[in-house]
Amino acid sequence: MGHPPLEFSDCYLDSPDFRERLKCYEQELERTNKFIKEVIKDGNALIAAIRGYSSAVQKFSQTLQSFQFDFIGDTLTDDEINIAESFKEFAELLQEVELERSMMVQNASDLLIKPLENFRKEQIGFTKERKKKFEKDGEKFYSMLDRHLHLSSKKKESQLQEADLQVDKERHNFFESSLEYVYQIQEVQESKKFSIVEPVLAFLHSLFTYNNLTVELTQDFLPYKQQLQLSLQNTRNHFSSTREELEDLKKRMKEAPLTCKLPGQPTIEGYLYTQEKWALGISWVKYYCQYEKEAKTLRMTPIDQKPGAKQGTLDLTLKSCVRRKTDSIDKRFCFDIETNERSGTITLQALSEANRRLWMEAMDGKEPVYHSPITKQEEMELNEVGFKFVRKCINAVETKGITTEGVYRTVGSNIQVQKLLNAFFDPKCPGDVDLQSGDWDIKTITSSLKFYLRNLSEPVMTYKLHKELVLAAKSENLDYRLGAIHALVYKLPDKNREMLELLIQHLVNVCEHSRDNLMSPSNMGVIFGPTLMRAQEDTVAAMMNIKFQNIVVEILIEHFGKIYSGPPEDTTAPPVPPPRVAARRHKPITISKRPLRERPVFFGASVEESGGECDGVPKPRSHGDKPVIMRPPVRPPDPPCRTPVPPKLEQKPDLIAGTAEEMPSSVVASRTKFFETASRRTGSSSSPQGRIPGDES
């Protein structure tokens, strides 16, 4: 089970439970930092000590195998499972490589050490700076708050107002520091999945490419490397999509921190001070209070108890709540409550006047309710005009922009998008816009379509089915995923299902031109997952499920023909997976468990010198014999770019190489280009007579 997400709303409350969860993230951050230092240390030892190379690699592999990723959320995607198992695969592969290793790859520091050092300094180091600021601002705010709450109400009004402003300013500073720190620490926790694995992956590739004694093993490694790169790229795409949503949520939380309440949580919670009478006088005790309006229950947890005190959590049932008059007590922001469990009144002190209003409102007190207006973007409806707009957009894209590189990924101008939407949805003449004219470019049309779908009053795939669709995407059984999503599609309202079919058919058409537009089903899932599906609540936990929304859309595109050929036999519930000897489940990609094969020996001498070999049939070498490689290593295929190459490209290998070289290269591609070129140059110079036609390039 991974770490629970840190909700931005908890930054405002700053509860003990929030601090405890934040501490778990800090411990994980420190553990990752130590792990990166260990990898860097071991990598340097590997590069510097050729004589002790074998032992250094063994230690490095043990370090990799000892680390296990912790993820946010309760379920991993298939790509995250591949990433989670990647270090174990790397470690087992290194142990196999050591059986035939004879030389060290040069310039490995640029591939491994520098990226990890940059990640540790720029990401983890920056997070620690945020932590210092968070702790400093927190200490400053709470110390000022304690002094502020002890101010007498008999002081001058100007002095009290100035003190209120200072406390509000410090509270705002602390809240912003807390938000930035929580956002940063969660971003590092998510981004490390590819930021740490990718340099190690590039480093391993350099090792195998430069070692002529393990050419065949390098060729075995390449399919795993490319699959893992795709997993890393898909995870990076999911991360980017989720980060945009989290940034938007963080922005809304800054504007109204108490508007996003999680389901199942108390109506209001926070710190209150309680007046308690003792034999020697009156004291004010700090409590963390949680109030449930429906049950009228108030839970009070004491904070900073005195040594020897045995007071525990109090559970009270509220009878009434009355504001305390200012002239009746020498404290500000006070109100009285009566409970069934205690006789007499209990005097509570809130943290500010606004905070007291919220408590009074929740407890149905006499204090008037104040609501600040929350601006909400005008919602759109799934009506006849909307269908006409979607059809016109699809027709325009398929007519003049379906081969445009990055279609739907490239964003249009906001001004042009609003202009198009206002013109099309004008109540006086709705739909009277010609999208085929030169006035509207493809970026504006695609952005307008996404804007319309994203701002529907209810998403196309509805709030009601959202949880069931996400649960289906989380299933390990691949047959169940498809069957459950197939059944749920036919539970949609008729107009929603019609709109979904119209859109998915269009996305299928776009993906069929992926050689030109570089948009695969996975890319389309990242773009349209948050557009066609969204959770009803705005929480960090919901944002973490965006990657599973993307998987749902990807499945709809890849299996469009089956899903829309007709409804399943029984749509009342998702189908049970068909009986199998072994269920078809996702298995992590692996290289260490591949079947071992006999390694051929290539000789350039005569049959007599080669020990009787003829007809080009190699004789298996015995253990310990060194092979004489008389042909250059086959050039490894270029790694996938940031927009993954469609899976059908293997039919034309020459086209794959040419296309990949023309595309913008990924981080791994740029790091390994030198080593791939050097490998071809080294192999061809050492054995010219064994050159295969076509290898000159």
Side-chain angles (χ1 to χ4, degrees):
M1 196 67 168
H3 293 296
L6 294 173
E7 297 295 340
F8 292 142
S9 57
D10 291 338
C11 297
Y12 187 85
L13 300 173
D14 196 27
S15 65
D17 179 64
F18 166 72
R19 289 292 186 128
E20 189 65 27
R21 285 184 282 125
L22 185 59
K23 185 179 179 181
C24 294
Y25 275 72
E26 293 169 349
Q27 291 173 349
E28 174 60 21
L29 184 70
E30 187 60 31
R31 190 170 74 93
T32 304
N33 188 36
K34 290 180 180 179
F35 166 72
I36 294 176
K37 289 182 180 178
E38 191 73 15
V39 173
I40 293 173
K41 176 184 175 182
D42 295 339
N44 281 324
L46 183 62
I47 296 169
I50 295 180
R51 290 183 179 180
Y53 178 69
S54 180
S55 59
V57 171
Q58 289 294 338
K59 176 64 173 64
F60 183 67
S61 66
Q62 292 170 8
T63 302
L64 293 179
Q65 196 163 19
S66 64
F67 183 77
Q68 180 64 40
F69 280 108
D70 283 336
F71 295 87
I72 298 176
D74 57 354
T75 309
L76 305 182
T77 65
D78 295 345
D79 294 315
E80 288 174 337
I81 292 174
N82 294 338
I83 294 172
E85 295 293 325
S86 60
F87 281 147
K88 186 182 296 182
E89 294 294 325
F90 296 159
E92 294 180 5
L93 183 60
L94 281 173
Q95 294 170 6
E96 181 183 348
V97 172
E98 280 308 298
L99 298 175
E100 299 182 354
R101 181 68 62 189
S102 66
M103 62 178 294
M104 174 64 189
V105 176
Q106 301 297 324
N107 298 326
S109 177
D110 292 337
L111 292 177
L112 177 69
I113 307 301
K114 290 183 180 179
L116 292 178
E117 197 69 63
N118 290 339
F119 179 82
R120 190 175 67 84
K121 292 179 180 179
E122 298 173 5
Q123 297 296 324
I124 298 180
F126 182 69
T127 304
K128 290 183 176 180
E129 292 176 4
R130 290 285 189 188
K131 178 184 178 182
K132 291 179 181 179
K133 187 174 186 302
F134 165 76
E135 293 175 346
K136 181 179 177 182
D137 290 348
E139 182 180 353
K140 186 176 180 181
F141 165 65
Y142 282 115
S143 60
M144 177 174 287
L145 181 63
D146 287 337
R147 294 195 304 270
H148 181 66
L149 294 174
H150 286 83
L151 286 177
S152 173
S153 59
K154 297 179 181 179
K155 288 184 175 293
K156 294 181 179 180
E157 185 65 25
S158 60
Q159 294 177 336
L160 294 177
Q161 290 179 356
E162 182 179 358
D164 289 345
L165 290 175
Q166 291 178 350
V167 170
D168 289 341
K169 181 179 179 181
E170 290 302 325
R171 179 185 292 107
H172 180 73
N173 291 340
F174 173 59
F175 178 51
E176 282 199 348
S177 299
S178 180
L179 271 177
E180 295 294 340
Y181 179 46
V182 166
Y183 174 78
Q184 179 65 23
I185 200 170
Q186 290 193 122
E187 178 171 325
V188 172
Q189 178 74 359
E190 281 287 282
S191 64
K192 73 178 183 182
K193 288 183 286 190
F194 47 82
S195 296
I196 301 177
V197 176
E198 196 170 42
V200 179
L201 179 63
F203 171 67
L204 292 181
H205 180 69
S206 69
L207 283 177
F208 304 144
T209 307
Y210 237 97
N211 194 336
N212 286 334
L213 295 181
T214 55
V215 172
E216 289 180 356
L217 191 145
T218 304
Q219 293 174 356
D220 290 342
F221 173 73
L222 286 173
Y224 172 81
K225 167 183 171 287
Q226 290 186 320
Q227 287 296 322
L228 184 56
Q229 276 187 298
L230 290 176
S231 293
L232 292 168
Q233 188 62 55
N234 290 338
T235 305
R236 186 195 300 275
N237 291 340
H238 293 320
F239 167 75
S240 300
S241 176
T242 304
R243 181 172 59 180
E244 292 175 2
E245 298 293 334
L246 286 173
E247 287 176 347
D248 184 58
L249 176 60
K250 184 180 71 169
K251 182 180 179 181
R252 295 198 303 273
M253 286 299 302
K254 282 185 178 181
E255 297 171 354
L258 292 178
T259 58
C260 300
K261 296 296 293 182
L262 290 175
Q265 286 197 348
T267 306
I268 187 171
E269 56 184 320
Y271 290 102
L272 293 174
Y273 288 80
T274 303
Q275 185 185 62
E276 297 189 358
K277 298 179 180 179
W278 304 90
L280 300 178
I282 297 175
S283 65
W284 291 85
V285 181
K286 187 178 182 180
Y287 285 84
Y288 189 81
C289 301
Q290 298 171 299
Y291 180 69
E292 282 283 358
K293 187 171 184 177
E294 293 183 0
K296 290 191 174 182
T297 56
L298 177 65
R299 167 164 286 195
M300 302 175 65
T301 304
I303 306 296
D304 300 332
Q305 293 191 63
K306 295 181 179 179
K310 298 182 180 180
Q311 188 174 8
T313 301
L314 302 176
D315 290 312
L316 306 174
T317 305
L318 189 72
K319 291 170 59 178
S320 65
C321 173
V322 180
R323 179 179 63 86
R324 187 69 177 261
K325 293 183 179 180
T326 305
D327 56 2
S328 65
I329 191 171
D330 191 29
K331 293 285 184 181
R332 307 174 67 203
F333 320 133
C334 293
F335 59 98
D336 295 335
I337 63 171
E338 293 184 355
T339 64
N340 295 332
E341 291 76 10
R342 285 192 175 186
S343 59
T345 61
I346 301 174
T347 301
L348 302 175
Q349 182 184 26
L351 304 182
S352 65
E353 182 61 34
N355 186 239
R356 179 171 68 172
R357 290 195 196 105
L358 293 174
W359 282 98
M360 295 283 293
E361 176 188 349
M363 294 181 174
D364 295 325
K366 296 181 180 179
E367 193 73 11
V369 179
Y370 295 93
H371 279 299
S372 58
I374 302 173
T375 59
K376 187 175 182 181
Q377 200 168 24
E378 185 177 355
E379 295 174 338
M380 297 183 173
E381 298 298 332
L382 197 62
N383 51 24
E384 183 179 348
V385 179
F387 270 90
K388 184 177 181 181
F389 175 69
V390 172
R391 289 191 177 96
K392 279 198 170 187
C393 288
I394 290 175
N395 187 41
V397 172
E398 295 188 353
T399 301
K400 62 179 183 179
I402 199 168
T403 59
T404 303
E405 183 175 334
V407 61
Y408 283 110
R409 172 169 283 181
T410 308
V411 181
S413 167
N414 287 335
I415 296 176
Q416 290 297 316
V417 169
Q418 291 299 327
K419 183 179 178 181
L420 172 56
L421 291 171
N422 291 336
F424 199 98
F425 290 96
D426 186 358
K428 297 180 180 179
C429 50
D432 188 18
V433 177
D434 182 14
L435 299 184
Q436 299 288 351
S437 66
D439 297 336
W440 312 106
D441 57 19
I442 291 298
K443 293 186 295 183
T444 302
I445 295 172
T446 55
S447 297
S448 300
L449 176 59
K450 291 186 293 183
F451 184 92
Y452 165 74
L453 295 171
R454 197 155 191 158
N455 287 274
L456 290 171
S457 56
E458 185 174 23
V460 173
M461 302 187 75
T462 71
Y463 292 129
K464 182 180 179 181
L465 297 180
H466 180 83
K467 290 184 178 179
E468 295 180 67
L469 287 164
V470 170
L471 286 175
K474 288 182 177 181
S475 173
E476 293 182 1
N477 190 296
L478 304 181
D479 294 322
Y480 180 78
R481 285 188 199 174
L482 176 57
I485 292 174
H486 188 180
L488 291 170
V489 164
Y490 285 88
K491 286 187 176 183
L492 290 170
D494 292 342
K495 63 178 181 180
N496 294 65
R497 188 168 65 251
E498 181 184 353
M499 175 62 77
L500 183 64
E501 181 178 4
L502 182 66
L503 291 166
I504 299 300
Q505 175 68 72
H506 169 60
L507 298 184
V508 170
N509 295 338
V510 174
C511 291
E512 287 177 352
H513 294 79
S514 57
R515 291 175 183 265
D516 301 314
N517 57 38
L518 307 181
M519 299 304 291
S520 66
S522 177
N523 300 142
M524 285 302 185
V526 171
I527 295 171
F528 280 89
T531 302
L532 300 178
M533 294 177 63
R534 64 177 182 271
Q536 197 161 9
E537 64 276 1
D538 282 337
T539 64
V540 174
M543 301 304 174
M544 291 301 172
N545 280 331
I546 288 178
K547 53 194 174 187
F548 296 104
Q549 299 173 196
N550 303 345
I551 290 173
V552 171
V553 175
E554 185 177 349
I555 290 174
L556 290 173
I557 296 173
E558 292 179 339
H559 301 278
F560 172 79
K562 179 177 180 179
I563 291 175
Y564 282 98
S565 62
E569 295 181 1
D570 183 10
T571 59
T572 57
V576 177
R580 288 176 177 268
V581 177
R584 189 170 68 94
R585 296 178 179 273
H586 170 77
K587 295 181 180 179
I589 56 175
T590 179
I591 182 175
S592 60
K593 297 179 179 60
R594 74 193 188 286
L596 297 178
R597 65 182 183 183
E598 293 181 348
R599 300 185 182 279
V601 183
F602 297 91
F603 293 97
S606 63
V607 174
E608 291 78 7
E609 292 174 337
S610 62
E613 293 183 16
C614 61
D615 297 330
V617 179
K619 183 181 73 174
R621 62 183 174 88
S622 60
H623 180 71
D625 292 344
K626 294 183 178 180
V628 181
I629 301 176
M630 302 307 296
R631 64 175 175 83
V634 178
R635 177 173 182 257
D638 293 324
C641 64
R642 291 194 179 276
T643 303
V645 179
K648 295 182 180 179
L649 289 184
E650 68 268 19
Q651 298 174 0
K652 296 183 179 180
D654 53 337
L655 182 60
I656 295 177
T659 306
E661 290 175 358
E662 294 170 3
M663 297 177 194
S665 59
S666 68
V667 177
V668 177
S670 63
R671 292 173 181 170
T672 58
K673 183 178 180 181
F674 167 78
F675 296 98
E676 293 174 348
T677 306
S679 177
R680 297 197 300 275
R681 194 181 303 125
T682 303
S684 59
S685 62
S686 62
S687 54
Q689 70 271 33
R691 179 172 300 162
I692 299 173
D695 281 0
E696 288 81 355
S697 59

